[in-house]
Amino acid sequence: QQQVKQSPQSLIVQKGGISIINCAYENTAFDYFPWYQQFPGKGPALLIAIRPDVSEKKEGRFTISFNKSAKQFSLHIMDSQPGDSATYFCAASSTLGGNSGYALNFGKGTSLLVTP
Amino acid sequence: DGGITQSPKYLFRKEGQNVTLSCEQNLNHDAMYWYRQDPGQGLRLIYYSQIVNDFQKGDIAEGYSVSREKKESFPLTVTSAQKNPTAFYLCASSIAAGSKTEAFFGQGTRLTVV
């Protein structure tokens, strides 16, 4: 009953290229959409987050695009660097709770490799 | 130095034994969470707690138990009823559940059944 679907499972991008990871959700009560970055053997760390009242949020090389009507959101990493190589997770939660909605519901993750 | 501390980092368990994973936070957060991570499965919610002395089951609570006697602590017990306990366990906390604020994660505990 995965509530957030993420693709692709893995991604290889050349240095300087754009990395794009997509997520889709079904629960219209979700109102908070963060992206987390995880390095091997470490806990995830918040990268960037968006709320549904805006369609785009940019922080440095990282941009979230949000399409409320399509129930989709994506992460764009511009000028990708080898140091960006990590696993990325999208997530969603709801202030209304219900069916674990209070807690973050995660996608299955995307393993990104940026080649030199 | 504020944060979330999980211990131990590595844990080995014999089949049929219960083990308890520790999670402590000094961020003064009300909400705490336990997730299980398996390769290719993402993070799946085991239990979460919105406040002291209260907790709710997540998506995969069977075979696990928790307690929340103190705001700072949210230990997870993996019981012998959990059929496939080998995994990476992550604890997290946030100001409040569903608060649209950052959830901070610990460094994880890798549990292996031997």
Side-chain angles (χ1 to χ4, degrees):
Chain A
Q1 85 238 41
Q2 186 160 28
Q3 298 198 55
V4 180
K5 291 183 168 54
Q6 182 172 347
S7 63
Q9 187 175 357
S10 62
L11 183 60
I12 300 175
V13 174
Q14 282 194 327
K15 179 181 175 182
I18 302 173
S19 303
I20 302 174
I21 304 170
N22 301 299
C23 285
Y25 64 96
E26 289 297 325
N27 188 346
T28 55
F30 285 151
D31 54 9
Y32 177 63
F33 303 89
W35 285 88
Y36 280 78
Q37 180 188 56
Q38 185 182 32
F39 294 102
K42 304 294 185 183
L46 180 67
L47 190 63
I48 186 172
I50 197 168
R51 300 177 188 184
D53 52 341
V54 297
S55 60
E56 186 175 281
K57 182 174 181 180
K58 184 175 181 179
E59 289 184 359
R61 296 184 295 108
F62 302 93
T63 300
I64 298 179
S65 296
F66 185 80
N67 186 329
K68 189 174 182 178
S69 61
K71 292 184 285 186
Q72 295 175 348
F73 57 111
S74 60
L75 175 70
H76 291 63
I77 306 175
M78 312 300 288
D79 187 26
S80 298
Q81 300 296 312
D84 296 330
S85 298
T87 300
Y88 293 82
F89 294 97
C90 61
S93 66
S94 169
T95 51
L96 300 178
N99 195 26
S100 301
Y102 282 130
L104 287 170
N105 295 266
F106 284 86
K108 291 191 175 184
T110 296
S111 178
L112 171 65
L113 176 64
V114 181
T115 59
Chain B
D1 194 16
I4 298 182
T5 302
Q6 289 187 243
S7 61
K9 188 172 183 179
Y10 298 97
L11 186 57
F12 296 89
R13 187 195 95 171
K14 292 183 179 179
E15 286 194 26
Q17 285 184 337
N18 292 354
V19 289
T20 297
L21 283 58
S22 171
C23 179
E24 303 277 333
Q25 55 100 357
N26 60 4
L27 300 167
N28 199 33
H29 285 171
D30 281 321
M32 297 187 74
Y33 315 83
W34 275 104
Y35 289 90
R36 169 179 170 144
Q37 185 174 17
D38 298 282
Q41 294 297 316
L43 281 70
R44 293 182 291 170
L45 182 67
I46 304 172
Y47 270 96
Y48 71 101
S49 168
Q50 297 181 65
I51 199 166
V52 174
N53 293 321
D54 180 67
F55 48 83
Q56 287 80 40
K57 292 182 179 180
D59 300 318
I60 56 166
E62 185 175 351
Y64 300 97
S65 65
V66 293
S67 62
R68 187 86 187 275
E69 297 177 359
K70 298 187 300 182
K71 188 175 186 178
E72 306 80 33
S73 179
F74 191 40
L76 173 74
T77 297
V78 184
T79 75
S80 57
Q82 171 49 237
K83 298 306 178 188
N84 185 22
T86 295
F88 190 50
Y89 291 87
L90 288 160
C91 178
S93 72
S94 65
I95 292 175
S99 61
K100 302 183 188 178
T101 57
E102 180 175 359
F104 293 84
F105 283 82
Q107 295 299 289
T109 292
R110 187 166 297 281
L111 173 64
T112 304
V113 174
V114 296

